[in-house]
Amino acid sequence: MSASSAFNDEKGGSSSVGEPEYGHDPASGGIFSSDYKRHDDLKEMLDSNKDSLKLEAMKRIVAMIARGKNASDLFPAVVKNVACKNIEVKKLVYVYLVRYAEEQQDLALLSISTFQRGLKDPNQLIRASALRVLSSIRVTIIVPIMMLAIKEAASDMSPYVRKTAAHAIPKLYSLDPEQKDQLIEVIEKLLADKTTLVAGSVVMAFEEVCPERIDLIHKNYRKLCNLLIDVEEWGQVVIINMLTRYARTQFLNPNINESLLEEGGGGEKTFYGSDEEEDEDEEEKEKKAEAAVMAKRKPYVMDPDHRLLLRNTKPLLQSRNAAVVMAVAQLYFHLAPKAEVGVIAKALVRLLRSHRFTQFTYLFSHLYVSQGMFEPYLKSFYIRSTDPTQIKVLKLEVLTNLANETNISTILREFQTYIKSMDKDFVAATIQAIGRCATNIGEVRDTCLNGLVQLLSNRDELVVAESVVVIKKLLQMQPEKHSDIIKHMAKLTDNIQVPMARASILWLIGEYCEHVPKIAPDVLRKMAKSFTNEEDIVKLQIINLAAKLYLTNSKQTKLLTQYVLNLAKYDQNYDIRDRARFIRQLIVPTEKSGALSKYAKKLFLALKPAPVLESPFKDRDHFQLGSLSHLLNAKAGGYQELPDWPEAAPDPLRVPEWTKCSSREKRKEKKVEKPFYSDSEGESGPTESADSESDSASGSESASGSEESGSGSESEESEEGSESEEEEEEEEEEKDKKKKKKEIKKPVQESESALKNYELLHRITGEGLSVEYCFSRQPFSPDGNMVAVQMQFTNNATSDTKNLHMEDVKLQSGMRVKEFPEIELLPAGETATAVMGIDFCDSTQAANFQLCTHTRKFFVSIQPPVGELMRPVFLTENEFKKEQGQLMGMNEITERLTLDVKCRNEHAIVQRVTTAANLSRVPCGSDKECRFAGKTVTSGSLVLVTVATKEEGAAQLTVNCEKMVIGTMLVKDILLALTQ
């Protein structure tokens, strides 16, 4: 029988030897019989002179491998065809060899010479395939041959072969780690490659072999940034992740003190400072005076290479690949100034709407720092009936995080719809979300509680049970106000059968039995009847209820308690028996009772702290956003920690001179010197644009760290222009600097005079101790995200006050407090000051705490005006117009008003606006407009205010704000300041 006829007979499907196992699709492996003797014809087909038969045989063999069949006995016949001239056959032979070369090491070594010849083949596909097979043979003896092949392939003319060489590097490294030094040399060579096809693969090899050799990235950093847009998608993901870690080690934190990098050191020359400032001898006295003011207000100037990375990754937010968008999102989250993180919102929501939302919804639920940027897209997170349960739960998490005083009513109406769902797990998650909303937003706590109480009449037992558990947690916050609800829940013990719900009701009744003195004993009576039939968790709460009632109402419950303890004494569960034995000795005094019985009431009836309903996704910030470890909330194998920001730039020489030279000769000298970063090896276009934009970043207009400098095009023209044009431009910049410094002085003085004192504790209430506080509008040095609150303590009493300190701080979710140092002694008639820091999370929620002395405790509260949640930002007129143009539409609020009679001149308007809000004055060419700018302390959201005056006291107030809630409150305060 010929090979062809044998093949045709087998494909026919019927045979006396055995029936085919599967269908007749060769790709699915459906042509194989359980009798392996029938595969002998494959050897004949492989020995045939016809390429068509060889191709059919290799397809069958590869299909066998795909179905898990053992084809190792065909190794000799397959290896013979490694030199076949047919490319399709050779590709399948290579696939086979990759699978079985390690098992058949002796035979594979015999074909090494063939692979080496393949490395010299004119066809780039053959060269790449030969290297791929060679690097896949896990035999230590051929390591030198593999190393030589990788080195030669790294210099190949074909970028596809060089890409394959980059893929082979991690394989060789895992086989023989001692080759690391030689492999690093190859990686260094491939990193200098100018083609986009190689970039992603060599960065992957770098991450596998030597991620600690960050010096290899220095000179290729700009090239990688500029090539990134054209790299294939998975290479983009690898490069972005690598550059994220690189930037965290080489650049300073852009959010240090938000807009102010340093508080002192005004006498030191900045790295980006102009050389001309040293040579100028005029106005030295004025400079010294200004230096004292500017020392504390030194603006942060972003490193041009840091800006280059952010600028070149931003277009990738439009990528069709979800992983690329995710990588850019985590890069911006970890590297960008907080004011710029919002650019990722639109791209992420776009992917959410296109149903590629599993990972992205999870990512949304972790963006606590930048919650505000998703508020305009609230409806995009509404749940659809077609969403899987996992996605529904994640969307609920997002909606809960986005809930605030403004949109909570809308979100609660949406939750009411979700409760009617047939998905019980989803309904339970919705009820828990309602509970978290009630905890985070005090204004709707009663509304949520009443809604949950209504659910107690639901026919679904699981809904009722979950509602009981959440209500229990909410009632712990204010039990004395809700005794009616506790009574209502007590009546449900006859109907609710879910153990957790029954246990929660019993715990609630026992904990607050004094609020329901008539109902609690009756509940115990009913529970005692059914004690033996209850679940263990319910039995434990019955015992606890009996113990608490015995201590508070022993006349009615003494016998019931003894009955319950006797039943528990013989229970099958040893936990219940131990609990009963312990409680009996504790609450029932006997001769053998220990000293603890005296403190039974304090043990059982002690005040329990109210539970904090926290998100299950909280406390994952120590893992890199979007990583597998972040998803699992546990360190996965191979996870690399995201480095912390350096306190100072690691190597000043790493950054080439980007600032302008005072003469053309200096500029030429700097161009001759080879910079630390390469200029993309001849590709000067992207580098020149980067240089020009960095020049503008070092000028006065880039002090706010905006993404695109308005003077970028001007700097490009100046580099191409003549020497005279350069000198004129430099003179203009010096004038702008002087002008801006003068303008800075005025807002500083105005903000200092705008401080307003608030009363924290009256001397009568404080029994002689009075406390006032003000928002000092100075950076709080321990934490740049906190507002500095200056407190003044006055002892009006006749005796000394000791140990002034804070206790029992109660804050809304996300808020933080840095307590003021304890004042050990405040003599009678004396005054002391202290400073504390509060992170209000850009909200006007109050910070509540106890102000304690050595004898008393006073409950006090600090609630900030919205204007104190900001810090000034110094913008030029062009920058103001540009930012205002980006904050139009929904981010703009306009109101018409009539100015107060005393407020119809520029000085009065500026004074009242800066008193109402901690904003800085922005230069304006028009006499009829006053402009102000600032950023919120926590999130860095930009706030722009314009007051345009008209005839007869009429004016128009415009507020552009990234956070509409902030903008709305700010409009009200400024309107009040200008009209009264």
Side-chain angles (χ1 to χ4, degrees), residues 228-231 236-237 240 311-321 324-326 328 347 350:
L228 188 58
I229 193 70
D230 297 318
V231 176
Q236 289 174 343
V237 174
I240 290 171
R311 183 173 61 250
N312 285 14
T313 53
K314 185 177 179 181
L316 296 180
L317 288 171
Q318 306 301 321
S319 174
R320 295 173 299 175
N321 190 307
V324 175
V325 180
M326 189 124 175
V328 178
R350 172 177 58 84

Side-chain angles (χ1 to χ4, degrees), residues 280-306:
E280 290 185 358
D281 296 328
E282 299 178 358
E283 301 179 356
E284 290 184 359
K285 293 183 180 180
E286 182 181 350
K287 283 187 176 181
K288 290 181 179 179
E290 291 176 349
V293 178
M294 293 300 295
K296 295 184 178 180
R297 295 186 171 270
K298 185 177 180 181
Y300 165 70
V301 179
M302 179 176 286
D303 190 304
D305 290 307
H306 191 174

